[in-house]
PDB file of all heavy atoms in Angstrom:
ATOM      1  N   HIS Q 745      -9.200   8.825  19.222  1.00 95.00           N
ATOM      2  CA  HIS Q 745      -7.887   8.424  19.699  1.00 95.00           C
ATOM      3  C   HIS Q 745      -6.944   8.501  18.726  1.00 95.00           C
ATOM      4  O   HIS Q 745      -7.177   7.916  17.467  1.00 95.00           O
ATOM      5  CB  HIS Q 745      -7.980   6.888  20.310  1.00 95.00           C
ATOM      6  CG  HIS Q 745      -6.699   6.438  20.832  1.00 95.00           C
ATOM      7  ND1 HIS Q 745      -6.118   6.939  22.053  1.00 95.00           N
ATOM      8  CD2 HIS Q 745      -5.885   5.536  20.407  1.00 95.00           C
ATOM      9  CE1 HIS Q 745      -5.072   6.299  22.204  1.00 95.00           C
ATOM     10  NE2 HIS Q 745      -4.817   5.386  21.328  1.00 95.00           N
ATOM     11  N   THR Q 746      -5.741   9.121  18.930  1.00 96.00           N
ATOM     12  CA  THR Q 746      -4.702   9.224  17.923  1.00 96.00           C
ATOM     13  C   THR Q 746      -3.530   8.330  18.302  1.00 96.00           C
ATOM     14  O   THR Q 746      -3.071   8.279  19.374  1.00 96.00           O
ATOM     15  CB  THR Q 746      -4.259  10.745  17.962  1.00 96.00           C
ATOM     16  OG1 THR Q 746      -5.315  11.570  17.600  1.00 96.00           O
ATOM     17  CG2 THR Q 746      -3.083  10.917  16.933  1.00 96.00           C
ATOM     18  N   SER Q 747      -2.935   7.726  17.176  1.00 96.00           N
ATOM     19  CA  SER Q 747      -1.820   6.819  17.399  1.00 96.00           C
ATOM     20  C   SER Q 747      -0.739   6.999  16.262  1.00 96.00           C
ATOM     21  O   SER Q 747      -1.147   7.452  15.157  1.00 96.00           O
ATOM     22  CB  SER Q 747      -2.229   5.365  17.359  1.00 96.00           C
ATOM     23  OG  SER Q 747      -3.269   5.135  18.322  1.00 96.00           O
ATOM     24  N   THR Q 748       0.515   6.857  16.551  1.00 97.00           N
ATOM     25  CA  THR Q 748       1.513   7.098  15.576  1.00 97.00           C
ATOM     26  C   THR Q 748       2.585   5.927  15.531  1.00 97.00           C
ATOM     27  O   THR Q 748       2.878   5.465  16.600  1.00 97.00           O
ATOM     28  CB  THR Q 748       2.185   8.504  16.020  1.00 97.00           C
ATOM     29  OG1 THR Q 748       1.361   9.494  15.898  1.00 97.00           O
ATOM     30  CG2 THR Q 748       3.389   8.759  14.895  1.00 97.00           C
ATOM     31  N   LEU Q 749       2.956   5.662  14.309  1.00 97.00           N
ATOM     32  CA  LEU Q 749       4.038   4.678  14.222  1.00 97.00           C
ATOM     33  C   LEU Q 749       4.908   5.119  13.031  1.00 97.00           C
ATOM     34  O   LEU Q 749       4.583   5.954  12.291  1.00 97.00           O
ATOM     35  CB  LEU Q 749       3.448   3.275  13.926  1.00 97.00           C
ATOM     36  CG  LEU Q 749       2.575   2.992  12.693  1.00 97.00           C
ATOM     37  CD1 LEU Q 749       3.424   2.832  11.354  1.00 97.00           C
ATOM     38  CD2 LEU Q 749       1.740   1.748  12.925  1.00 97.00           C
ATOM     39  N   LEU Q 750       6.202   4.516  13.088  1.00 98.00           N
ATOM     40  CA  LEU Q 750       7.173   4.849  12.163  1.00 98.00           C
ATOM     41  C   LEU Q 750       7.246   3.647  11.177  1.00 98.00           C
ATOM     42  O   LEU Q 750       7.409   2.533  11.544  1.00 98.00           O
ATOM     43  CB  LEU Q 750       8.600   5.112  12.759  1.00 98.00           C
ATOM     44  CG  LEU Q 750       9.669   5.472  11.910  1.00 98.00           C
ATOM     45  CD1 LEU Q 750       9.519   6.962  11.292  1.00 98.00           C
ATOM     46  CD2 LEU Q 750      11.061   5.390  12.658  1.00 98.00           C
ATOM     47  N   PHE Q 751       7.199   3.902   9.931  1.00 98.00           N
ATOM     48  CA  PHE Q 751       7.365   2.958   8.829  1.00 98.00           C
ATOM     49  C   PHE Q 751       8.757   3.269   8.164  1.00 98.00           C
ATOM     50  O   PHE Q 751       8.897   4.145   7.403  1.00 98.00           O
ATOM     51  CB  PHE Q 751       6.186   3.066   7.885  1.00 98.00           C
ATOM     52  CG  PHE Q 751       6.218   2.064   6.796  1.00 98.00           C
ATOM     53  CD1 PHE Q 751       5.911   0.701   6.999  1.00 98.00           C
ATOM     54  CD2 PHE Q 751       6.674   2.360   5.508  1.00 98.00           C
ATOM     55  CE1 PHE Q 751       5.828  -0.323   5.973  1.00 98.00           C
ATOM     56  CE2 PHE Q 751       6.752   1.391   4.430  1.00 98.00           C
ATOM     57  CZ  PHE Q 751       6.261   0.098   4.784  1.00 98.00           C
ATOM     58  N   ASP Q 752       9.769   2.407   8.326  1.00 98.00           N
ATOM     59  CA  ASP Q 752      11.085   2.491   7.807  1.00 98.00           C
ATOM     60  C   ASP Q 752      11.798   3.662   8.426  1.00 98.00           C
ATOM     61  O   ASP Q 752      11.208   4.639   9.028  1.00 98.00           O
ATOM     62  CB  ASP Q 752      11.105   2.504   6.365  1.00 98.00           C
ATOM     63  CG  ASP Q 752      10.805   1.125   5.723  1.00 98.00           C
ATOM     64  OD1 ASP Q 752      10.816   0.154   6.464  1.00 98.00           O
ATOM     65  OD2 ASP Q 752      10.625   1.058   4.468  1.00 98.00           O
ATOM     66  N   ALA Q 753      13.108   3.814   8.250  1.00 98.00           N
ATOM     67  CA  ALA Q 753      13.901   4.771   8.936  1.00 98.00           C
ATOM     68  C   ALA Q 753      14.966   5.540   8.033  1.00 98.00           C
ATOM     69  O   ALA Q 753      15.868   6.156   8.441  1.00 98.00           O
ATOM     70  CB  ALA Q 753      14.607   4.209  10.130  1.00 98.00           C
ATOM     71  N   GLY Q 754      14.934   5.233   6.653  1.00 98.00           N
ATOM     72  CA  GLY Q 754      15.939   5.914   5.843  1.00 98.00           C
ATOM     73  C   GLY Q 754      17.226   5.244   5.695  1.00 98.00           C
ATOM     74  O   GLY Q 754      17.425   4.152   6.351  1.00 98.00           O
ATOM     75  N   LEU Q 755      18.159   5.870   5.096  1.00 98.00           N
ATOM     76  CA  LEU Q 755      19.443   5.275   4.783  1.00 98.00           C
ATOM     77  C   LEU Q 755      20.506   5.589   5.925  1.00 98.00           C
ATOM     78  O   LEU Q 755      21.197   4.645   6.311  1.00 98.00           O
ATOM     79  CB  LEU Q 755      19.987   5.943   3.472  1.00 98.00           C
ATOM     80  CG  LEU Q 755      21.497   5.502   3.052  1.00 98.00           C
ATOM     81  CD1 LEU Q 755      21.458   4.113   2.562  1.00 98.00           C
ATOM     82  CD2 LEU Q 755      21.857   6.402   1.898  1.00 98.00           C
ATOM     83  N   SER Q 756      20.551   6.851   6.353  1.00 98.00           N
ATOM     84  CA  SER Q 756      21.676   7.194   7.235  1.00 98.00           C
ATOM     85  C   SER Q 756      21.219   7.261   8.665  1.00 98.00           C
ATOM     86  O   SER Q 756      19.999   7.435   8.899  1.00 98.00           O
ATOM     87  CB  SER Q 756      22.317   8.489   6.924  1.00 98.00           C
ATOM     88  OG  SER Q 756      21.357   9.584   6.984  1.00 98.00           O
ATOM     89  N   PRO Q 757      22.109   7.272   9.730  1.00 97.00           N
ATOM     90  CA  PRO Q 757      21.625   7.376  11.033  1.00 97.00           C
ATOM     91  C   PRO Q 757      21.083   8.716  11.344  1.00 97.00           C
ATOM     92  O   PRO Q 757      20.405   8.850  12.408  1.00 97.00           O
ATOM     93  CB  PRO Q 757      22.922   7.086  11.875  1.00 97.00           C
ATOM     94  CG  PRO Q 757      23.733   6.339  10.900  1.00 97.00           C
ATOM     95  CD  PRO Q 757      23.501   6.859   9.569  1.00 97.00           C
ATOM     96  N   THR Q 758      21.373   9.786  10.580  1.00 97.00           N
ATOM     97  CA  THR Q 758      20.995  11.135  11.019  1.00 97.00           C
ATOM     98  C   THR Q 758      19.863  11.751  10.231  1.00 97.00           C
ATOM     99  O   THR Q 758      19.163  12.733  10.716  1.00 97.00           O
ATOM    100  CB  THR Q 758      22.286  12.129  10.763  1.00 97.00           C
ATOM    101  OG1 THR Q 758      22.653  12.014   9.495  1.00 97.00           O
ATOM    102  CG2 THR Q 758      23.281  11.610  11.792  1.00 97.00           C
ATOM    103  N   ALA Q 759      19.604  11.359   8.943  1.00 98.00           N
ATOM    104  CA  ALA Q 759      18.533  12.060   8.150  1.00 98.00           C
ATOM    105  C   ALA Q 759      17.243  12.023   8.702  1.00 98.00           C
ATOM    106  O   ALA Q 759      16.622  13.093   8.739  1.00 98.00           O
ATOM    107  CB  ALA Q 759      18.700  11.545   6.723  1.00 98.00           C
ATOM    108  N   MET Q 760      16.750  10.926   9.156  1.00 98.00           N
ATOM    109  CA  MET Q 760      15.417  10.773   9.477  1.00 98.00           C
ATOM    110  C   MET Q 760      15.096  11.587  10.794  1.00 98.00           C
ATOM    111  O   MET Q 760      14.138  12.427  10.881  1.00 98.00           O
ATOM    112  CB  MET Q 760      15.029   9.424   9.707  1.00 98.00           C
ATOM    113  CG  MET Q 760      13.528   9.038  10.036  1.00 98.00           C
ATOM    114  SD  MET Q 760      13.208   9.068  11.901  1.00 98.00           S
ATOM    115  CE  MET Q 760      14.056   7.541  12.372  1.00 98.00           C
ATOM    116  N   VAL Q 761      16.015  11.388  11.875  1.00 97.00           N
ATOM    117  CA  VAL Q 761      15.776  12.259  13.030  1.00 97.00           C
ATOM    118  C   VAL Q 761      16.063  13.704  12.858  1.00 97.00           C
ATOM    119  O   VAL Q 761      15.419  14.562  13.333  1.00 97.00           O
ATOM    120  CB  VAL Q 761      16.647  11.595  14.165  1.00 97.00           C
ATOM    121  CG1 VAL Q 761      16.267  10.270  14.544  1.00 97.00           C
ATOM    122  CG2 VAL Q 761      18.187  11.660  13.864  1.00 97.00           C
TER     123      VAL Q 761
END
Side-chain angles (χ1 to χ4, degrees):
H745 181 68
T746 300
S747 302
T748 302
L749 59 80
L750 182 71
F751 182 79
D752 287 347
L755 176 71
S756 69
T758 56
M760 185 268 292
V761 293

